Amino acid sequence: MSVQETKSIIGALRLRLQPLNVKEFAWIFRVAKDTALKWIREGRVPAFRLGKTVRIDPHLLADMLQREVSDWEAKQELLDRRLKIIEKEGNWADMADPSGERQ
């Protein structure tokens, strides 16, 4: 799933008033229902039970996805900055410094 698709999903989840069921969650994320249930059991998805029924809070899910997108974008930005330094100076040693600072 691309970042743009994820951002679209985040927007749709923020507009949703009702919790998702497992089948809806699995459809949105293009996974099998068993995979969705596994992710819920592992705590990877913000879910709760109503009796025997599992539901996913769309707003908590949107918040979680937003954090992941933001983390990915920050890492991508750092990588882009490092690649510009390498292109400019031709110094591959800069890639070894995770802070992005020059010595």
Side-chain angles (χ1 to χ4, degrees), residues 64-99:
M64 181 190 81
L65 290 172
Q66 184 63 56
R67 283 190 302 275
E68 288 183 15
V69 166
S70 296
D71 288 349
W72 185 89
E73 289 176 330
K75 289 175 187 173
Q76 190 64 39
E77 184 179 324
L78 178 60
L79 179 60
D80 290 345
R81 282 188 288 160
R82 288 182 186 170
L83 289 174
K84 285 179 184 175
I85 291 169
I86 290 167
E87 288 172 359
K88 182 178 177 185
E89 299 178 10
N91 186 354
W92 286 93
D94 292 336
M95 290 298 286
D97 183 8
S99 68

Side-chain angles (χ1 to χ4, degrees), residues 9-68:
I9 290 170
I10 291 168
L13 289 170
R14 293 204 188 285
L15 294 174
R16 188 174 170 108
L17 300 176
Q18 306 252 330
L20 298 166
N21 63 39
V22 176
K23 185 177 179 180
E24 291 169 322
F25 173 85
W27 181 82
I28 290 169
F29 288 92
R30 302 180 194 147
V31 297
K33 188 176 174 183
D34 290 342
T35 300
L37 288 168
K38 178 183 174 198
W39 290 353
I40 291 166
R41 276 193 308 275
E42 293 173 350
R44 295 171 58 183
V45 176
F48 59 94
R49 286 195 175 275
L50 287 173
K52 294 182 179 184
T53 307
V54 176
R55 294 286 187 249
I56 297 103
D57 184 312
H59 300 116
L60 291 178
L61 182 58
D63 292 345
M64 181 190 81
L65 290 172
Q66 184 63 56
R67 283 190 302 275
E68 288 183 15

